[in-house]
Amino acid sequence: MPNTAAVPEAPAERLTLDRIAVVHTRKGASPFTSLAIDRLDVPAGRSLGVSGPSGAGKSTLLHVVAGLESPSAGSIRWGETRLETMGEGARDRWRRAIVGFVFQDFHLVDELSIFENVLLPARFASFRASAEARARAGSLIERVGLADPQRRAAVLSRGERQRVAVARALIGRPRLLVADEPTASLDAENGAAIADLLIEATREIGATLLVAAHDRALLDRLDRELRLVAGRPVAEDAA
Amino acid sequence: MNPWSMILADLRSLKRVGAVIVLLVAVAVAVGIALGAQERAFRRASAAAADDFPLVVGAAGSPTQLVLSAVYLRLEALPLMEGEVLRRLGADERVAGVAPIAFGDVIHGHPLIGTTADFASRWGRLKPIEGRMFAEEGEAVVGAAVKIAVGTTFEPSHGHAGGEHHALGEEDVDEAKHVHAETHYTVVGRLPATGGPWDRAVMAPVENVWETHGLGNGHEGEDHIGAPFDAEKLPGLPALVVKPKSFAAAYQLRAELRGKGLAALFPAEVLVELHQLIGDVGEILKIASAVDDGLVFLAVTTLFVTIGGLRRRRYATLRALGAPRGYILATVWGGAAILVALGCVGGLALGWAGARLVSEILGAQSGLVVPVSLETPDFLWAGAVFLAGSLFALVPAFLAGRGRIVDGLAG
């Protein structure tokens, strides 16, 4: 399996979705198509905004791209890597190496410090977080504008929490940063700051950025926008 | 993979629930530990107390009652055997020593036992830690736990010691009513602790006890105490302790005495029966405590599964961030195993404390010093509980890693 992308210094790859369909079949209900995308191409290092009303399939698209959910049909490729053919363990490894994830509701571990939250993904694979990872966690915390790395996550404000979440998403030098409504739980000021962070930080490391959002200000700053309605693209305007 | 920081975070978030789990496991473990340690300690203490009583002889009757009275001083009116037995055994060449045990009097709640200086010093094994051994009539020695000072002079009362409401060291109304005003004893010595019920006894020359009750002194008019007891007519006796010269002699004597219609037995025989009974009861209790442990584990496992359900989103988030299934499994299992381990350690301490408490109560009732110690079987038991507990913990661990990540993220 081509796993060259696991090397931290490897560049981002082109993301290609081909005839993707996600169909939910529930007992006693007729099959429901939550996502149907004929073709989607995101060149390496570019950003894509996904917009659309609630329930339009934005999160589903993000989950499919991040390897959290397998499409019912179609193929999804990261460079030469075909996600839909991978086993679960391989997809876990791929996700760990390639993807950084930012959630709407931050999902920090409240009982841990800022530093430990940021460093957490570094402990998924190795017993000891390397000195390099620790140094990186420290500089990322500084980069996202947080003062005291030893503060507990539980005491942070919403804006601070999302900053921690962004730093956590960046700790593994992701090639693909996926953010699901990253500003929806924040006020305008904090939302703008997080948008800045996401865009600048991904540009700095040359990663591809995928953002699902309602936030017009954020969407307008991305390279392209994909608008979904009922799981289908309705317009795609290049910025 | 290093789930340590997540395990700590999970434990922190449990707060009081974690403490309750530890306590549940600790209590479950402690019951088994306490039972085992207490049973073992009691066997040893009861066996040690019988060490100085190689062969006990009494009138035909309940052998158990004879042993309980002579060895453990659970004094009850025993049928008397003829005093002649004492003289005959004293002259028997297979006998190294023989001593009468005569009781019936009480002083300040302590039983007054009439015997020989030879037996009071346990065939020479015990040297008084204070004063000296009694050497003539009117003198007495006290056991280590007797609350009467050396040098005190007292008058014994007729009656039994150890009544339920009769505190040691105090003279109760009943005792005061039956004072033998004509007899006086002076305490001349105190014996070292033996760990047995005799530590609570006051020992005096048997001649004195006989005379107090108008039974003569057991000698042909001489004025010495102790063997040989050569009076024409010796008073009847409730019990004799015999120290045979050899094993063979012990068995011969036992057979001969039994042939004459007497009760003659090695206290060990009665102890074996007693220990077997304790063992059987202990076995039932241990099974009950094991069932109890099973129930506690079931409850704790259910609790962990429930907690795992509440943390579904937390673990799904970790998975989305790249954590392998094994990381989640290790996190949930590790947290549960730590709580169970803490419970097992706590259970060892609690079990030891519980057994100590039972020992205190037993000791206060019987005078038997029952030292409790934790030994290999106790640690093995705690280890077995930990092993079982960590196997149980695999259930919530597997369940937590199961299911689709996206469902978990949805909450």
Side-chain angles (χ1 to χ4, degrees):
Chain A
M1 156 189 351
N3 205 11
T4 49
V7 181
E9 315 309 329
E13 308 254 12
R14 172 179 291 268
L15 176 70
T16 315
L17 276 68
D18 200 17
R19 284 187 289 272
I20 285 291
V22 177
V23 181
H24 294 287
T25 45
R26 289 244 162 78
K27 229 203 285 187
S30 50
F32 166 73
T33 302
S34 60
L35 190 67
I37 295 176
D38 201 38
R39 175 89 191 170
L40 177 68
D41 235 327
V42 183
R46 304 301 290 274
S47 58
L48 173 73
V50 184
S51 63
S54 296
K58 301 191 296 294
S59 292
T60 305
L61 173 59
L62 261 48
H63 291 157
V64 166
V65 169
L68 295 175
E69 184 161 17
S70 297
S72 317
S75 85
I76 168 160
R77 289 204 306 276
W78 175 253
E80 296 306 310
T81 310
R82 292 178 64 115
L83 260 60
E84 79 279 4
T85 61
M86 284 181 171
E88 194 189 23
R91 240 184 312 148
D92 284 345
R93 277 193 296 280
W94 176 83
R95 190 164 58 247
R96 196 155 59 234
I98 303 298
V99 183
F101 218 113
V102 177
F103 305 91
Q104 177 180 340
D105 292 318
F106 333 123
H107 293 344
L108 300 185
V109 180
D110 275 351
E111 297 80 14
L112 294 180
S113 65
I114 294 175
F115 185 77
E116 280 299 327
N117 264 288
V118 172
L119 203 56
L120 199 57
R123 303 194 193 277
F124 292 158
S126 62
F127 187 78
R128 262 188 174 283
S130 63
E132 193 255 334
R134 302 178 74 87
R136 185 166 163 74
S139 61
L140 276 169
I141 291 165
E142 222 179 292
R143 170 72 183 80
V144 299
L146 292 167
D148 181 2
Q150 295 311 324
R151 270 201 299 168
R152 284 256 180 117
V155 304
L156 302 178
S157 72
R158 304 177 74 78
E160 288 172 319
R161 293 165 82 78
Q162 197 62 304
R163 286 166 205 270
V164 177
V166 171
R168 179 179 65 182
L170 293 172
I171 184 74
R173 296 179 189 280
R175 312 282 86 205
L176 170 63
L177 197 68
V178 178
D180 194 355
E181 301 276 10
T183 59
S185 296
L186 304 175
D187 57 40
E189 195 182 330
N190 275 307
I194 291 295
D196 282 347
L197 255 178
L198 282 172
I199 291 163
E200 284 165 22
T202 43
R203 195 169 294 152
E204 281 163 23
I205 58 174
T208 302
L209 175 64
L210 221 68
V211 183
H214 283 104
D215 182 350
R216 185 41 53 197
L218 170 57
L219 289 166
D220 285 346
R221 297 178 61 183
L222 303 172
D223 294 337
R224 275 166 58 199
E225 180 177 337
L226 172 71
R227 184 168 172 75
L228 290 177
V229 172
R232 289 178 167 75
V234 288
E236 199 181 319
D237 55 80
Chain B
M1 173 163 59
N2 182 359
W4 187 239
S5 53
M6 265 320 286
I7 291 175
L8 286 183
D10 276 2
L11 290 181
R12 262 182 224 151
S13 78
L14 274 182
K15 293 184 189 129
R16 256 165 275 171
V17 177
V20 169
I21 291 171
V22 170
L23 196 70
L24 273 176
V25 175
V27 169
V29 171
V31 172
I33 301 280
L35 283 173
Q38 183 56 48
E39 186 195 331
R40 203 171 46 226
F42 182 74
R43 276 170 198 258
R44 275 185 208 156
S46 55
D51 271 353
D52 292 314
F53 298 80
L55 180 63
V56 177
V57 184
S62 158
T64 308
Q65 195 50 56
L66 179 59
V67 168
L68 283 177
S69 287
V71 179
Y72 300 103
L73 297 182
R74 312 294 294 174
L75 304 176
E76 290 197 18
L78 290 176
L80 301 182
M81 67 187 137
E82 282 180 23
E84 175 64 15
V85 182
L86 171 60
R87 182 170 44 208
R88 237 185 8 248
L89 285 171
D92 198 305
E93 59 178 16
R94 292 166 298 181
V95 172
V98 56
I101 294 177
F103 44 81
D105 286 345
V106 61
I107 171 66
H108 292 185
H110 296 283
L112 175 68
I113 313 290
T115 185
T116 61
D118 200 21
F119 181 71
S121 68
R122 299 301 167 97
W123 319 108
R125 190 167 62 81
L126 302 183
K127 300 269 174 278
I129 48 168
E130 199 187 335
R132 56 174 175 80
M133 180 52 63
F134 58 76
E136 56 179 323
E137 290 189 30
E139 292 182 345
V141 293
V142 294
V146 172
K147 292 170 181 156
I148 300 172
V150 172
T152 310
T153 298
F154 62 84
E155 294 161 1
S157 302
H158 195 74
H160 282 306
E164 257 183 60
H165 305 292
H166 194 168
L168 290 179
E170 285 171 25
E171 187 177 89
D172 71 357
V173 187
D174 197 40
E175 199 176 314
K177 272 194 286 192
H178 299 92
V179 175
H180 292 289
E182 69 285 5
T183 312
H184 299 273
Y185 291 99
T186 302
V187 178
V188 297
R190 180 182 299 278
L191 295 172
T194 62
W198 279 70
D199 286 350
R200 291 177 167 188
V202 177
M203 288 150 270
V206 66
E207 291 86 348
N208 246 161
V209 176
W210 284 331
E211 283 174 339
T212 304
H213 296 93
L215 300 167
N217 68 0
H219 300 285
E220 271 312 326
E222 295 167 52
D223 201 21
H224 74 95
I225 60 164
F229 297 98
D230 49 9
E232 191 69 41
K233 177 107 177 85
L234 280 168
L237 284 165
L240 284 176
V241 183
V242 181
K243 188 185 183 192
K245 280 181 177 156
S246 66
F247 269 114
Y251 280 93
Q252 277 177 12
L253 285 166
R254 186 181 66 153
E256 281 174 24
L257 290 164
R258 282 183 177 176
K260 288 177 182 139
L262 293 165
L265 53 110
F266 309 132
E269 294 175 278
V270 174
L271 278 181
V272 164
E273 269 174 49
L274 183 70
H275 288 175
Q276 220 153 36
L277 184 70
I278 292 172
D280 288 347
V281 174
E283 215 51 49
I284 292 168
L285 289 174
K286 273 179 213 156
I287 290 169
S289 96
V291 170
D292 188 39
D293 289 357
L295 286 175
V296 167
F297 277 139
L298 215 61
V300 170
T301 305
T302 310
L303 203 56
F304 278 126
V305 170
T306 309
I307 292 165
L310 294 173
R311 289 178 173 161
R312 211 158 83 105
R313 180 177 270 189
R314 179 178 187 132
Y315 296 139
T317 304
L318 296 179
R319 298 270 286 125
L321 292 172
R325 245 179 232 275
Y327 182 90
I328 308 296
L329 192 140
T331 298
V332 177
W333 180 84
I338 285 171
L339 291 179
V340 172
L342 286 176
C344 287
V345 173
L348 276 172
L350 206 62
W352 179 77
R356 277 289 302 269
L357 191 71
V358 174
S359 274
E360 295 284 324
I361 295 168
L362 259 179
Q365 281 176 356
S366 67
L368 211 56
V369 177
V370 187
V372 175
S373 57
L374 291 182
E375 288 172 25
T376 318
D378 304 317
F379 293 106
L380 285 179
W381 171 252
V385 171
F386 170 69
L387 210 68
S390 31
L391 283 178
F392 271 97
L394 284 174
V395 175
F398 271 118
L399 290 178
R402 221 183 44 164
R404 287 165 12 116
I405 300 172
V406 286
D407 293 341
L409 285 177

